[in-house]
Amino acid sequence: MATQPAWLDKGDNAWQMTAATLVGLQSVPGLMILYAGIVKSKWAINSAFMAFYAFGAVLICWVIWGYKIAFGKHMLPFAGIPGPTLSMEYELTQALLPTSGISANFPMSVMVYFQFVFAAITLVITAGAFLGRMNFLAWVIYVPLWLTFSYCVVAYSIWGGGFLAVLGVIDYSGGYVIHLSSGTAGFVGAWWIGPRLDADREDNRPNNIGSVLIGAGILWLGWNGFNGGDPYAASIDAGVAVLNTNICAAMSMLCWMLCDVVYYGKPSIIGAVNGMICGLVAITPAAGVIAGWSAIAIGLGSGTVPWLSMNIFGKKVAFMRSVDDVLGVFHTHFVAGIVGGCATGIFATISGTTAFALTNPGGAIAGNGVQVGYQIAGAMFVIGWNVVWTSLIMCFIKYVLRIPLRMSDEQLLIGDYSMHGEEAYVFGEGTSAFVNGPLRGKETHGAAMGEDQAGIIMGKNPEVEERHTGSGSGSDPVVDEIKRD
């Protein structure tokens, strides 16, 4: 094989690898940083590590069997034939999706990696609903199972040439495959796992909003690769997708802020981040097939409908309150994904679908109102499939493997140290998480570090306590009070 085959376009190849890297950065470090900052300090490590583990585990499963289920040769209307993508001959050949017949001017190795980062971020997003109480061993098992039986099936059905692609469902870059899937799985999985401790739900203030903003910024700019990479070329359509992505995210963020000001009397930083995310999610199925004015309209919808869902519906309906979806993945990904998917059926243009090499004659504004019906049908399949398979996987882990989905109350009281033997923030050798046994080389009996008591963080000093209780003085244990600045 020639070192520079005739089909290779260096510009497309360079852009595709860049876009894939941008999407990868959304997960590590983007969502890792966001998760570590948005939870209580005692869960910073565990939350970030759930994302870190998922990124690595998905890649290995992807190259051994997952990619070809999602993008391989036809086996079923919703799945390709599984198999590895690891031979040199395969990696050097021209990128081709065999069922749909789509090809690109870069090698299969780049296609496999580009599609991997989308699969990985779907699991990372799902983790946002499980933070602060899911047993890490259960998460270790959940990731490859859900990737195989849920993500790969939906990806093949819509992107790989499966039955939803044949029907005509438009999902430019993952509004259904990624966001509706993760939003459904996150909510259903959170129900199966059960809630956090009551105290952690009542006091769920972020430990570092600055980190949340850094992670959100990486997420926002990384979306340029998320949507801009899906034409599989450095094309004019990629430029349209990038511009529309940023327009919608900005509009959605501003609308969410306005809703916060009207309803709560002040703009919320976390609210603004949620608005931005909803805009990015909603534009994803439509990014390259709609005009800029439509991106503004979608941003208006994604900045208000999910806000109502999270702040009114989510707080007024008893069942919604009972499901502990920690980061509101249902609202920011499920609801926003529905908004974007249906809006795609309305606002898709003929010139946009043509530029993206689709045969759809636009959406409702172009006289093709049936496209809205196709979009709704696609959403129903994605929701139903994820409800069933997320439940089956959770039941398999809990009842067949006998692995608890939720940590014990004792572990939940302690946090990171109980699961990983490490803490995110160590304020001195004398303070620790509650533990009986060796800690940093010493036999320790310590209180839970990080418990908020009226603005004071409490933690026992085991060495001082041992001196006092061992002296026979009968004095009470010494308590260090570390006041916040």
Side-chain angles (χ1 to χ4, degrees), residues 455-457 480-485:
I456 299 175
I457 300 175
D480 293 330
E481 297 184 352
I482 305 174
K483 295 186 177 180
R484 292 178 175 167
D485 293 334

Side-chain angles (χ1 to χ4, degrees), residues 161-177:
F163 78 102
L164 291 178
V166 174
L167 179 65
V169 174
I170 300 175
D171 186 3
Y172 188 90
S173 195
Y176 285 177
V177 177

Side-chain angles (χ1 to χ4, degrees), residues 429-431 442-445 459-471 473 475-480:
E429 290 299 313
T431 58
K442 302 175 184 177
E443 285 297 315
T444 303
H445 178 79
K460 291 182 180 179
N461 186 319
E463 294 181 8
V464 176
E465 179 184 4
E466 184 178 351
R467 289 200 301 271
H468 279 255
T469 56
S471 65
S473 64
S475 60
D476 293 331
V478 175
V479 178
D480 293 330

Side-chain angles (χ1 to χ4, degrees), residues 187 263 305-321 330-331 334-335:
F187 187 79
Y263 194 76
V305 176
W307 186 94
L308 290 168
S309 172
M310 179 179 288
N311 292 279
I312 306 298
F313 179 73
K315 294 180 179 180
K316 302 291 185 182
V317 178
F319 176 72
M320 295 298 296
R321 295 198 309 270
F330 174 85
H331 309 286
F334 179 98
V335 176

Side-chain angles (χ1 to χ4, degrees), residues 320-331:
M320 295 298 296
R321 295 198 309 270
S322 70
V323 179
D324 188 13
D325 176 0
V326 180
L327 300 188
V329 172
F330 174 85
H331 309 286

Side-chain angles (χ1 to χ4, degrees), residues 52 68 123 127 131 159 181 233 273 353 391 485:
F52 197 58
K68 287 191 175 180
L123 269 301
L131 301 180
W159 286 343
S181 291
V273 170
T353 54
S391 297
D485 293 334

Side-chain angles (χ1 to χ4, degrees), residues 18 41 66 91 103 136 165 183-184 187 204 211 221 270 291 298 316 326 349-350 367 380 409 414 454 469 481 485:
T18 301
S41 60
E91 292 179 3
S103 62
F136 193 79
T184 305
F187 187 79
N204 61 354
S211 292
L221 294 181
I270 299 299
I298 294 175
K316 302 291 185 182
V326 180
T349 63
I350 295 175
M380 291 301 101
D409 286 351
I414 297 167
T469 56
E481 297 184 352
D485 293 334

